[in-house]
Every structure is written in structure tokens, then in C-alpha cells.
Amino acid sequence: MNDLLIREINGFDWKLVSRIEKLEKRNLGSKASINRWVIPVIIRYGKLIVAQKGKNDPDIIGVCELIRDWEYKNKVFVFSFYIDRDYRKKGVGRKLLGKVVDILKDEGFAEVELTVDPDNESAVGLYRRFGFKKVALRENEYGRGV
């Protein structure tokens, strides 16, 4: 995807919030936890970085939502990271995560933490290629058996 545009969302309108909410449900189904109540909070108090098909195309095809760690100011947590299912395995995740890492480095973050389903081989492989390491298995972190 040569025209891919990756940008940080600094303000929002309800059309944008609605697009992200629909994308979340489409790609994460019943596991979707980001909704119209959470998206504005992430935009205002965290960081929302999106991948769009192109400069003149508003369709969002990738999302990364970040929140800062209160205890360790130089650490950020990846609250959510996903690529629209129609655009997976096309390099979008690699480009989005690369830009996210660059932004975080530029802003002085020294540590990035995330959780991922260990059975999600594509995501685990992507994170490993960027130098992420498994530190712990958090059983039942998101509910019994999750």
C-alpha cells in the first residue's frame, strides 16, 4: 500500500468516532471494548494513531490506541492495535507499528508494553520483528480463560 497515510488524531468529530467504533466491532467482534465513550478519552488523554488508505481517502484501515503508564512516566501501554481484516498481510501493520514506535521514541518513551493473545501468531510475529519480548503470561487478565 504505497499511498498509506499514518497520522495521529488530535481532535475528533462524531463521524470519526463512529467510523472507529464500527471498525473496532468489525474486526474484534464481541471482544471490542472501544466504543463512543472510550474513543474520545483515548484521543484527549492518550494517543490514537490511525492508518488510512491514502491522503484523500478517509477510510481508516488500522488503529493503534495508546495510554501512558502513571507509575512509570517513560512507559506507554498499547491499549489496542489492529488492522482491518481486508487489509491484513499487506504490510499495513508493519508500517503502522513502525510509525507508532518512531513517534514514541521521538516523544521520549523508553518502554512499550502490550498484551497479545499468544495464539495470534501474526500479531506475535509482528511484535517480535520490532523487538518486543515476552515478559509474562497473564492468565485470566481479561476474564476467565482469556
Side-chain angles (χ1 to χ4, degrees):
M1 300 221 43
N2 294 334
D3 290 348
L4 191 66
L5 172 68
I6 298 174
R7 68 185 184 101
E8 182 177 347
I9 304 297
N10 293 312
F12 69 90
D13 59 46
W14 288 108
K15 286 181 184 177
L16 171 71
V17 170
S18 179
R19 284 198 328 256
I20 294 170
E21 182 179 36
K22 286 177 186 169
L23 190 65
E24 181 92 6
K25 288 178 184 173
R26 171 179 153 79
N27 288 282
L28 303 177
S30 63
K31 295 178 183 178
S33 61
I34 304 298
N35 57 35
R36 72 189 67 185
W37 302 102
V38 178
I39 295 165
V41 173
I42 296 289
I43 293 170
R44 287 192 195 280
Y45 303 105
K47 195 172 284 290
L48 176 64
I49 302 168
V50 300
Q52 292 175 239
K53 285 189 211 176
K55 196 172 193 175
N56 298 318
D57 192 333
D59 282 351
I60 296 170
I61 59 173
V63 174
C64 181
E65 296 147 343
L66 304 160
I67 55 177
R68 185 177 218 144
D69 188 305
W70 282 86
E71 189 174 348
Y72 303 101
K73 300 292 186 203
N74 67 344
K75 183 164 117 180
V76 68
F77 179 76
V78 178
F79 187 67
S80 184
F81 184 96
Y82 60 90
I83 305 303
D84 182 63
R85 62 182 175 223
D86 292 340
Y87 294 91
R88 293 178 188 162
K89 304 214 183 283
K90 296 181 181 189
V92 177
R94 181 181 42 77
K95 289 177 183 175
L96 178 57
L97 188 56
K99 181 69 171 179
V100 167
V101 168
D102 288 345
I103 289 169
L104 295 174
K105 282 180 184 176
D106 289 346
E107 293 187 8
F109 288 96
E111 191 175 347
V112 180
E113 183 176 328
L114 58 83
T115 57
V116 62
D117 181 342
D119 294 332
N120 186 341
E121 294 175 10
S122 292
V124 170
L126 175 66
Y127 297 135
R128 281 195 178 128
R129 283 191 295 282
F130 275 85
F132 286 84
K133 294 177 177 51
K134 179 179 173 181
V135 175
L137 178 63
R138 295 180 178 168
E139 294 185 50
N140 305 315
E141 179 85 357
Y142 299 103
R144 178 176 265 177
V146 182

mmCIF file of all heavy atoms in Angstrom, residues 11-28:
data_model
loop_
_atom_site.group_PDB
_atom_site.id
_atom_site.type_symbol
_atom_site.label_atom_id
_atom_site.label_comp_id
_atom_site.label_asym_id
_atom_site.label_seq_id
_atom_site.Cartn_x
_atom_site.Cartn_y
_atom_site.Cartn_z
ATOM 1 N N GLY A 11 -7.828 15.743 17.377
ATOM 2 C CA GLY A 11 -9.155 16.247 17.682
ATOM 3 C C GLY A 11 -10.140 15.264 17.088
ATOM 4 O O GLY A 11 -9.755 14.340 16.391
ATOM 5 N N PHE A 12 -11.383 15.429 17.374
ATOM 6 C CA PHE A 12 -12.323 14.464 16.816
ATOM 7 C C PHE A 12 -13.660 15.112 16.517
ATOM 8 O O PHE A 12 -13.992 16.172 17.032
ATOM 9 C CB PHE A 12 -12.512 13.272 17.751
ATOM 10 C CG PHE A 12 -13.237 13.603 19.022
ATOM 11 C CD1 PHE A 12 -14.617 13.507 19.093
ATOM 12 C CD2 PHE A 12 -12.546 14.023 20.143
ATOM 13 C CE1 PHE A 12 -15.283 13.833 20.260
ATOM 14 C CE2 PHE A 12 -13.205 14.334 21.308
ATOM 15 C CZ PHE A 12 -14.575 14.241 21.372
ATOM 16 N N ASP A 13 -14.363 14.435 15.664
ATOM 17 C CA ASP A 13 -15.767 14.742 15.442
ATOM 18 C C ASP A 13 -16.502 13.405 15.571
ATOM 19 O O ASP A 13 -15.885 12.340 15.586
ATOM 20 C CB ASP A 13 -15.996 15.419 14.084
ATOM 21 C CG ASP A 13 -15.536 14.558 12.910
ATOM 22 O OD1 ASP A 13 -15.849 13.345 12.886
ATOM 23 O OD2 ASP A 13 -14.879 15.095 12.017
ATOM 24 N N TRP A 14 -17.796 13.466 15.663
ATOM 25 C CA TRP A 14 -18.552 12.243 15.928
ATOM 26 C C TRP A 14 -18.556 11.288 14.741
ATOM 27 O O TRP A 14 -18.710 10.089 14.911
ATOM 28 C CB TRP A 14 -19.963 12.573 16.406
ATOM 29 C CG TRP A 14 -19.870 13.108 17.797
ATOM 30 C CD1 TRP A 14 -20.057 14.398 18.198
ATOM 31 C CD2 TRP A 14 -19.473 12.384 18.962
ATOM 32 N NE1 TRP A 14 -19.806 14.515 19.546
ATOM 33 C CE2 TRP A 14 -19.449 13.291 20.052
ATOM 34 C CE3 TRP A 14 -19.128 11.062 19.215
ATOM 35 C CZ2 TRP A 14 -19.112 12.920 21.335
ATOM 36 C CZ3 TRP A 14 -18.786 10.676 20.495
ATOM 37 C CH2 TRP A 14 -18.788 11.603 21.538
ATOM 38 N N LYS A 15 -18.337 11.805 13.518
ATOM 39 C CA LYS A 15 -18.228 10.899 12.362
ATOM 40 C C LYS A 15 -16.979 10.034 12.495
ATOM 41 O O LYS A 15 -17.013 8.836 12.230
ATOM 42 C CB LYS A 15 -18.169 11.698 11.058
ATOM 43 C CG LYS A 15 -19.491 12.293 10.656
ATOM 44 C CD LYS A 15 -19.357 13.047 9.347
ATOM 45 C CE LYS A 15 -20.672 13.726 8.999
ATOM 46 N NZ LYS A 15 -20.547 14.523 7.774
ATOM 47 N N LEU A 16 -15.891 10.635 12.912
ATOM 48 C CA LEU A 16 -14.645 9.892 13.123
ATOM 49 C C LEU A 16 -14.825 8.848 14.223
ATOM 50 O O LEU A 16 -14.447 7.693 14.069
ATOM 51 C CB LEU A 16 -13.507 10.842 13.483
ATOM 52 C CG LEU A 16 -12.207 10.169 13.929
ATOM 53 C CD1 LEU A 16 -11.534 9.493 12.747
ATOM 54 C CD2 LEU A 16 -11.272 11.173 14.566
ATOM 55 N N VAL A 17 -15.425 9.262 15.327
ATOM 56 C CA VAL A 17 -15.655 8.342 16.439
ATOM 57 C C VAL A 17 -16.512 7.164 15.975
ATOM 58 O O VAL A 17 -16.212 6.006 16.273
ATOM 59 C CB VAL A 17 -16.306 9.075 17.632
ATOM 60 C CG1 VAL A 17 -16.767 8.087 18.704
ATOM 61 C CG2 VAL A 17 -15.336 10.098 18.225
ATOM 62 N N SER A 18 -17.541 7.449 15.210
ATOM 63 C CA SER A 18 -18.420 6.396 14.706
ATOM 64 C C SER A 18 -17.675 5.443 13.772
ATOM 65 O O SER A 18 -17.854 4.218 13.848
ATOM 66 C CB SER A 18 -19.604 7.030 13.985
ATOM 67 O OG SER A 18 -20.455 6.034 13.472
ATOM 68 N N ARG A 19 -16.811 5.983 12.892
ATOM 69 C CA ARG A 19 -16.038 5.131 11.972
ATOM 70 C C ARG A 19 -15.117 4.191 12.743
ATOM 71 O O ARG A 19 -15.011 3.014 12.418
ATOM 72 C CB ARG A 19 -15.222 5.990 11.005
ATOM 73 C CG ARG A 19 -16.044 6.607 9.912
ATOM 74 C CD ARG A 19 -15.260 7.095 8.710
ATOM 75 N NE ARG A 19 -13.938 7.587 8.922
ATOM 76 C CZ ARG A 19 -13.576 8.874 8.918
ATOM 77 N NH1 ARG A 19 -14.480 9.811 8.749
ATOM 78 N NH2 ARG A 19 -12.328 9.233 9.067
ATOM 79 N N ILE A 20 -14.456 4.713 13.761
ATOM 80 C CA ILE A 20 -13.540 3.885 14.545
ATOM 81 C C ILE A 20 -14.317 2.839 15.338
ATOM 82 O O ILE A 20 -13.916 1.676 15.417
ATOM 83 C CB ILE A 20 -12.647 4.745 15.450
ATOM 84 C CG1 ILE A 20 -11.718 5.596 14.581
ATOM 85 C CG2 ILE A 20 -11.839 3.881 16.414
ATOM 86 C CD1 ILE A 20 -10.947 6.651 15.331
ATOM 87 N N GLU A 21 -15.439 3.223 15.893
ATOM 88 C CA GLU A 21 -16.264 2.278 16.654
ATOM 89 C C GLU A 21 -16.733 1.130 15.754
ATOM 90 O O GLU A 21 -16.650 -0.045 16.136
ATOM 91 C CB GLU A 21 -17.468 3.007 17.250
ATOM 92 C CG GLU A 21 -18.358 2.108 18.090
ATOM 93 C CD GLU A 21 -19.525 2.860 18.693
ATOM 94 O OE1 GLU A 21 -20.073 3.770 18.042
ATOM 95 O OE2 GLU A 21 -19.897 2.530 19.831
ATOM 96 N N LYS A 22 -17.171 1.436 14.544
ATOM 97 C CA LYS A 22 -17.610 0.391 13.601
ATOM 98 C C LYS A 22 -16.448 -0.509 13.199
ATOM 99 O O LYS A 22 -16.601 -1.723 13.101
ATOM 100 C CB LYS A 22 -18.244 1.025 12.369
ATOM 101 C CG LYS A 22 -19.608 1.587 12.620
ATOM 102 C CD LYS A 22 -20.159 2.268 11.390
ATOM 103 C CE LYS A 22 -21.483 2.946 11.737
ATOM 104 N NZ LYS A 22 -21.937 3.830 10.672
ATOM 105 N N LEU A 23 -15.296 0.089 12.965
ATOM 106 C CA LEU A 23 -14.112 -0.688 12.597
ATOM 107 C C LEU A 23 -13.722 -1.635 13.735
ATOM 108 O O LEU A 23 -13.366 -2.788 13.504
ATOM 109 C CB LEU A 23 -12.953 0.256 12.264
ATOM 110 C CG LEU A 23 -11.719 -0.366 11.640
ATOM 111 C CD1 LEU A 23 -12.034 -0.943 10.271
ATOM 112 C CD2 LEU A 23 -10.611 0.672 11.523
ATOM 113 N N GLU A 24 -13.795 -1.142 14.961
ATOM 114 C CA GLU A 24 -13.489 -1.961 16.143
ATOM 115 C C GLU A 24 -14.409 -3.184 16.190
ATOM 116 O O GLU A 24 -13.953 -4.310 16.348
ATOM 117 C CB GLU A 24 -13.661 -1.104 17.401
ATOM 118 C CG GLU A 24 -13.350 -1.806 18.681
ATOM 119 C CD GLU A 24 -11.915 -1.633 19.134
ATOM 120 O OE1 GLU A 24 -11.148 -0.884 18.530
ATOM 121 O OE2 GLU A 24 -11.573 -2.292 20.138
ATOM 122 N N LYS A 25 -15.699 -2.969 16.046
ATOM 123 C CA LYS A 25 -16.661 -4.073 16.102
ATOM 124 C C LYS A 25 -16.468 -5.035 14.931
ATOM 125 O O LYS A 25 -16.558 -6.242 15.105
ATOM 126 C CB LYS A 25 -18.084 -3.531 16.102
ATOM 127 C CG LYS A 25 -18.468 -2.875 17.401
ATOM 128 C CD LYS A 25 -19.861 -2.304 17.350
ATOM 129 C CE LYS A 25 -20.181 -1.573 18.636
ATOM 130 N NZ LYS A 25 -21.468 -0.875 18.556
ATOM 131 N N ARG A 26 -16.183 -4.488 13.759
ATOM 132 C CA ARG A 26 -15.994 -5.323 12.562
ATOM 133 C C ARG A 26 -14.796 -6.254 12.725
ATOM 134 O O ARG A 26 -14.826 -7.403 12.307
ATOM 135 C CB ARG A 26 -15.790 -4.413 11.352
ATOM 136 C CG ARG A 26 -15.374 -5.112 10.087
ATOM 137 C CD ARG A 26 -15.228 -4.085 8.950
ATOM 138 N NE ARG A 26 -14.302 -4.463 7.932
ATOM 139 C CZ ARG A 26 -14.549 -5.321 6.955
ATOM 140 N NH1 ARG A 26 -15.713 -5.924 6.893
ATOM 141 N NH2 ARG A 26 -13.642 -5.598 6.045
ATOM 142 N N ASN A 27 -13.741 -5.759 13.341
ATOM 143 C CA ASN A 27 -12.501 -6.523 13.414
ATOM 144 C C ASN A 27 -12.319 -7.298 14.709
ATOM 145 O O ASN A 27 -11.590 -8.279 14.731
ATOM 146 C CB ASN A 27 -11.310 -5.594 13.176
ATOM 147 C CG ASN A 27 -11.242 -5.193 11.735
ATOM 148 O OD1 ASN A 27 -10.792 -5.951 10.898
ATOM 149 N ND2 ASN A 27 -11.762 -4.015 11.412
ATOM 150 N N LEU A 28 -12.932 -6.861 15.777
ATOM 151 C CA LEU A 28 -12.758 -7.553 17.057
ATOM 152 C C LEU A 28 -14.036 -8.203 17.564
ATOM 153 O O LEU A 28 -14.020 -8.888 18.581
ATOM 154 C CB LEU A 28 -12.201 -6.578 18.103
ATOM 155 C CG LEU A 28 -10.864 -5.913 17.720
ATOM 156 C CD1 LEU A 28 -10.445 -4.916 18.782
ATOM 157 C CD2 LEU A 28 -9.790 -6.940 17.475
#
